[in-house]
Amino acid sequence: MNIPVALVTGGARRVGAEIVRALHAAGARVAIHHRRSAGEAEALAAELNALRPDSAAAFAADLCDAGALPSLVEAVVTRFGRLDALANNASMFYPTPLAAIDETAWSDIVGSNLKGPLFLSQAAAPHLAASSIAGGGCIVNITDIHADRPLKGYPLYCAAKAGLNGLTRALALELAPEVRVNAVAPGAVDWPEDGSFPPDERAAIIARTLLKRAGTPDDIARAVKFLIFDAPYVNGQ
């Protein structure tokens, strides 16, 4: 079956779920990764399978556990027979003022935002290199505007995303020409659910943007879909 397969980490909710829906609507079969959101991942898979049978499945894994990631990739390949695209979307985000940083925060934030994408890309690379889709296999990392413009109170998150930016460019060199590696860096899109950005702070952030409005998860999903399916000459961006 020559239908492409895409694995989306953190694909059960929010931006990740929108990426899953966009790739599925573009004709892909989708592997929905989650850590704890099993109910939401299974519900999303059921929703998509109702539209197109046997086109979606949920997979659980802790991205901070590098040893578990080859098994995640093999489970996806066993289920669908191939892997053509990987969207490293899953992320942990919470404030870490310098004095409060400890090894738990390091493991959480660097693990989900940098370590996980690295070792998952490593495990997926041989399968992606064998892809027959136009432009070859593809990795899309979800980074952050704060990789380049650090946010006060979040030094660990900013450093991890800056690392993911560098990893994107490095992997583009390592995996070319068989696999393309690019990134999407959202700005004001889908605010955190913990209330850490009150309305006045959100308004101030939006006022500094050129479009003077917040983006939507669909904006990010469209960019990911473009890089995977419609940009065979884009790499390392």
Side-chain angles (χ1 to χ4, degrees), residues 142-162:
I142 304 300
T143 61
D144 197 296
I145 191 172
H146 295 305
D148 296 316
R149 303 177 190 176
L151 180 65
K152 183 176 175 60
Y154 295 80
L156 197 50
Y157 175 81
C158 295
K161 287 299 193 185

Side-chain angles (χ1 to χ4, degrees), residues 23-124:
L23 298 181
H24 185 269
R29 292 174 290 166
V30 289
I32 306 165
H33 159 267
H34 67 91
R35 185 174 64 158
R36 297 194 185 101
S37 303
E40 288 156 304
E42 294 289 354
L44 179 56
E47 169 193 323
L48 299 177
N49 284 325
L51 297 173
R52 201 166 72 241
D54 199 31
S55 61
F59 299 85
D62 180 356
L63 297 183
C64 295
D65 180 3
L69 301 184
S71 296
L72 170 60
V73 170
E74 288 308 315
V76 173
V77 173
T78 298
R79 175 69 174 76
F80 290 114
R82 58 190 290 170
L83 179 60
D84 302 274
L86 167 63
N88 283 310
N89 163 77
S91 171
M92 293 194 72
F93 174 83
Y94 55 81
T96 53
L98 179 59
I101 294 174
D102 56 20
E103 289 197 14
T104 298
W106 172 272
S107 297
D108 284 349
I109 293 176
V110 176
S112 62
N113 288 290
L114 182 56
K115 178 184 174 183
L118 167 61
F119 285 103
L120 189 55
S121 297
Q122 180 189 65

Side-chain angles (χ1 to χ4, degrees), residues 84-88 117 121-122 124-125 128 137-141 168 171 175 179-183 227-228:
D84 302 274
L86 167 63
N88 283 310
S121 297
Q122 180 189 65
L128 298 175
C138 185
I139 298 171
V140 179
N141 295 319
T168 298
L171 290 183
L175 299 178
V179 180
R180 295 176 299 109
V181 187
N182 295 290
L227 289 169
I228 292 174

Side-chain angles (χ1 to χ4, degrees), residues 186-209:
V189 174
D190 218 0
W191 302 98
E193 296 170 316
D194 61 4
S196 55
F197 289 84
D200 58 338
E201 197 168 330
R202 297 183 186 190
I205 290 171
I206 292 170
R208 292 195 294 270
T209 69

